Amino acid sequence: MRQPSDTHAYPAHWEADVVLRDGGTARIRPITVDDAQRLVSFYERVSDESKYYRFFAPYPRLSDRDVHRFTHHDYVDRVGLAATVGDEFIATVRYDRIDGHGLPSTAPADEAEVAFLVQDAHQGRGVASALLEHIAAVARERGIRRFAAEVLPANTKMIKVFTDAGYTQKRSFEDGVVRLEFDLEPTDRSLAVMRAREQRAEARSVQRLLAPGSVAVIGTGRAPGGVGRTVLRNLLDGGFSGRVYAVNRAFPGEQDRLDPEGVPAHRSIHEIDGPVDLAVVAVPAAQVPSVVADCGDSGVQSLVVVSAGYAESGPEGRDRQRELVRQARTYGMRIIGPNAFGVINTADGVRLNASLSPRLPAPGRLGLFTQSGAIGIALLSGLDLRGAGTAGVSTFISAGNRADVSGNDVLQYWYDDPRTDVALMYLESIGNPRKFTRLAKRTAAVKPVVVVKGARHSGSAPTGHAVPAPGIPDATVSALLRQAGVIRVDTVTELVDAGLLLASQPLPGGPRIAILGNSDSLGLLTYDACLTDGLRPLPPRDLTTAAAPDDFRRALAASLADDACDAVVVTAIPGVGAAAAADLARAMRGAAAGAAARGAAKPVAVVHLQIPGLAEALAAPWDAPGAGGREDGVGGAAGGDAADEAPFPAPRIPAYPAAERAVRALAEAVGYARWRRQAEEPGRVPEYEDIDEAGAAADIDVLLAPTEGEPTAQAQTEEAPAEGAPAEAAPADGAPPPQAAAAPPDASADAPAPYTVTLSAPDAQRLLARYGVSVLPALPAPDPDAAVRAAARLGFPVALKTTAPHLRHRADLGGVRLDLGGEAELRRAYAELTDYLGAPEELRLVVQRMAPRGVDTVVRAAIDPAAGAVLSFGLAGAPSELLGDTAHRLVPATDRDAAELIRSIRTAPLLFGWRGSRPVDTAALEELLLRVSRMVDDHPEVVSVDLEPVVVAPHGLSVLGAAVRLAPPPPRTDLGPRHLPSY
């Protein structure tokens, strides 16, 4: 147990594992009084030059006073952090709070002096940069806003650490010393720097896993069979270019070779003469800790743990899994697994098959990541059967329980991997949705990311996954992924279908699809499938069953040359006197090659029924047996026009056994291409001059401040009204300012408990008005006379409605009476409601002026701890709720996001003049969405906004009800210093 340095508790939340520039890991933690000997040992390993740079004078050893000073901190005004590997320090950083004269100080002084020392053997690994991120976050937490550092001019490495960090800084030179001062408030540049470093480090850590120079299989069986021996056999059969070692402590002492494999055999990894980059661990779970310790002591860089018996086996296994990760990271190693299927890299210079797959897949442009070994087998098998030649595999990672390396890490690697053109991912859990959507969006801007999500409806993480399950509905997850440019599909089959098309064909320029083939019926099925998936098919062209390969070639060439066509689906069935599949494939590939040579390449997909060998011929190398041509595209079908088959590499064309599958893959490519075009010119977040951000912040501070007074903001309960009942009328100008919320029952000065407050109607309306959102006033009507007075104040005609929680927004239950034009009508409606639904105090009736007729909609924004702030839109009413017809976008929303949001629901035609109705004011609706988005983005304390209903008329709109919840802002892990997740 760690002891605090002085009187303050040890800040365990400052501990973090980080990935360094070379892909290794280190642990950052506060320095304590127990670290005295570690500090002395660390200092002894630092060169005299580095010591001189740190203390500006020769300083060969630390005095007892120095050791005491550097290990005793109050964790407020004096803080020290260390980066450790194993049990040793490799770097330290500390800050001391100072006043305006540079003297030691306490709060409210907001400046501190910072100094680093990095062991020479670890310089250049990015340790100082990682420490700077973490010490800056600690300082901000403790109220420090600015760092000052004095550096010798010759210490260029440390000067570069500061200047490259991206903070706003000031530099001066005095008395032979460079003085740097910089603000700690994150900037766009500092955030970009941090994320660029994160990408390089995490990509490098995955590269070390996928491109090792040597592999040891620990747990290789003495007899054929078994997991370890199988992995060893697969490594050798795949042609791995590096060194391979078999390790088993049960090998006889005299055995130094494993036959028939012919590889060196060792009882321990310590016996191996030379470095081991990757260890595949295939021993029982109980033996893994000692194996990991041996690997760490021997300098192994990465582990693939195929052993089972971890989180998938229950609570005890979950604890064992956490300890495995902690132990591996202690040594700076990263892990695939446990319970992993393995990893594959088909690169010529690597040819790594450290997996249970018996074959190394054909090399190609598809990157595969899966959290399931069974799905991994299905993917590899499906690609082997259908994609051999069309689209092989660049890399494959089956992460098992993904206790360490996750899909986020692999996306970092694929982002700038020149061998991967398409990323295919099977995910059962997303541990950090904010980071995943950020990385996926960046990757999708340069290459497609296709995802199938398992465990969509279970509401919890699959067995074996220690990640927290996000509480957002699957429909929301899907919408957010699509906003990030991710192609979301439903099945593994669709994953392969989309991957084959995207890896082998250019992106379509639009949704116009030409259909041609020798079957009118199959063409009609394709036409219908196109309409179902939102494409714009051209009339099918029937070549008749007598069509020869040359007819297909000419028809395909004509469609590819047609400016009215963006993609082509070719349908084929066995015809009369059917030609060989190779001839038909050669004709189609020749036409595609000719179009590409003329700069008119378009995607082509083939749907065929019962034509053996056609899919293989369409995917085979052009000079392969049976292809009948050369890779340069010369030598087309007999009788063909050579002008239509210019010398150009003949594209491989994906083939599908059903029209629906080909069209679905094509539709996904069309949607992705549209997203790519839009991403090149992203929307903007508009500025509105009437927004009072400072006023809203002041209101929020008051509303969230606990007091002993009577609250206006009500503690969140199911009974809190959203529309003003039984609150007072909406405040007019000059009304009293908002009152503070009452302190929650368990709040205390030392440990304030998190709580939320639901604002009363006046306070909610006041806060929304700061952002230009007006809510139509609703006046309480506790009795018929009060209802009449309220109507007289507002002006007839009015609406009378209930605001009781069980009746609110339930017009179908008869709790609303509209267009009440006079006192008699109002009193009659009041009597009907109270007779039918209950007493006035139960119904909480309110009177509201009638709004112009229009379409009732709902606008919501909420903070999800996992995904961040989400803006939602849909039509009001039970049908939309029943169908789940709601659209979502991440905040901050741009003008393009708002426009897409209202058009992406299935009931959107009601907004645009469906069946002769008048179109409503969608421009006003988009502006409302953007204003709500701005408020939630500007003020993270606003955890929920619910505007219902919003009546959108042909001119303008009316917000009839509003509910706002506030809470202390949740931590933004995506804006803090980079660190590896800990589950």
Side-chain angles (χ1 to χ4, degrees), residues 81-357:
L81 301 180
T84 66
V85 173
D87 197 40
E88 298 179 349
F89 285 6
I90 64 170
T92 62
V93 63
R94 63 176 285 112
Y95 78 68
D96 294 270
R97 195 188 300 257
I98 58 176
D99 61 17
H101 303 287
L103 300 177
S105 184
T106 60
D110 62 357
E111 183 173 354
E113 193 170 50
V114 65
F116 294 78
L117 186 60
V118 181
Q119 194 182 116
D120 295 68
H122 294 275
Q123 292 179 9
R125 299 185 66 201
V127 184
S129 298
L131 281 173
L132 177 58
E133 291 176 19
H134 283 261
I135 197 71
V138 168
R140 289 193 296 269
E141 180 182 326
R142 296 310 195 200
I144 292 171
R145 297 290 174 260
R146 185 169 55 260
F147 270 167
E150 293 186 346
V151 187
L152 291 174
N155 193 359
T156 55
K157 292 181 181 179
M158 187 52 61
I159 292 175
K160 184 173 176 60
V161 168
F162 290 124
T163 57
D164 288 354
Y167 296 110
T168 303
Q169 58 186 261
K170 181 172 65 176
R171 181 171 177 172
S172 61
F173 183 80
E174 187 176 350
D175 297 331
V177 174
V178 176
R179 181 176 175 83
L180 298 167
E181 297 179 11
F182 49 96
D183 296 333
L184 299 183
E185 189 66 26
T187 65
D188 290 343
R189 182 167 178 265
S190 69
L191 193 60
V193 168
M194 182 181 69
R195 288 177 173 172
R197 288 171 173 167
E198 174 191 65
Q199 189 273 326
R200 289 192 297 267
E202 293 178 356
R204 176 60 180 154
S205 72
V206 175
Q207 184 184 32
R208 299 204 312 180
L209 278 158
L210 292 173
S214 55
V215 178
V217 181
I218 303 175
T220 302
R222 288 176 293 173
V227 174
R229 192 71 174 254
T230 299
V231 173
L232 180 74
R233 184 74 260 166
N234 295 341
L235 270 168
L236 298 174
D237 291 346
F240 176 57
S241 61
R243 300 174 301 280
V244 179
Y245 306 98
V247 178
N248 189 332
R249 64 181 183 179
F251 286 155
E254 67 278 4
Q255 182 176 353
D256 61 0
R257 189 177 184 84
L258 183 68
D259 291 318
E261 289 83 358
V263 301
H266 301 277
R267 290 171 54 84
S268 168
I269 199 167
H270 291 300
E271 298 176 1
I272 297 176
D273 185 17
V276 175
D277 298 326
L278 175 67
V280 180
V281 180
V283 301
Q287 300 176 20
V288 170
S290 62
V291 169
V292 173
D294 289 345
C295 290
D297 292 338
S298 299
V300 173
Q301 294 180 348
S302 309
L303 303 174
V304 173
V305 181
V306 298
S307 308
Y310 287 89
E312 79 281 358
S313 63
E316 183 178 345
R318 189 178 299 275
D319 292 339
R320 189 182 298 123
Q321 182 167 298
R322 291 193 179 104
E323 179 58 25
L324 167 64
V325 175
R326 186 205 62 78
Q327 184 185 17
R329 289 180 179 174
T330 295
Y331 289 105
M333 298 183 291
R334 301 214 65 185
I335 300 174
I336 293 287
N339 196 28
F341 187 75
V343 298
I344 293 173
N345 185 353
T346 63
D348 286 339
V350 181
R351 297 187 61 81
L352 173 73
N353 183 11
S355 78
L356 295 171
S357 173

Side-chain angles (χ1 to χ4, degrees), residues 358-438:
R359 293 178 53 189
L360 185 74
R365 318 300 297 179
L366 291 173
L368 306 181
F369 175 86
T370 172
Q371 294 175 355
S372 162
I375 298 299
I377 294 172
L379 279 171
L380 292 174
S381 175
L383 287 171
D384 185 55
L385 290 174
R386 296 182 51 218
T390 304
V393 175
S394 62
T395 49
F396 167 85
I397 296 175
S398 179
N401 292 2
R402 62 169 259 354
D404 181 24
V405 173
S406 68
N408 286 346
D409 298 289
V410 179
L411 277 176
Q412 298 276 38
Y413 172 76
W414 281 336
Y415 171 67
D416 53 11
D417 175 29
R419 296 183 55 250
T420 300
D421 289 341
V422 181
L424 304 184
M425 309 184 80
Y426 171 78
L427 305 177
E428 292 175 343
S429 59
I430 302 176
N432 188 341
R434 289 195 196 203
K435 182 175 180 180
F436 179 80
T437 53
R438 170 170 60 86

Side-chain angles (χ1 to χ4, degrees), residues 928-940:
L928 175 67
L929 288 163
L930 292 168
R931 288 178 179 272
V932 172
S933 171
R934 273 287 309 274
M935 185 171 75
V936 175
D937 189 47
D938 290 344
H939 307 285

Side-chain angles (χ1 to χ4, degrees), residues 567-619:
V568 183
V569 177
V570 180
T571 63
I573 63 171
V576 178
D583 293 336
L584 185 57
R586 185 166 56 248
M588 288 188 280
R589 293 177 69 179
R598 294 189 297 271
K602 297 174 183 177
V604 178
V606 172
V607 178
H608 71 97
L609 300 181
Q610 301 300 320
I611 304 182
L614 179 60
E616 292 78 6
L618 288 169

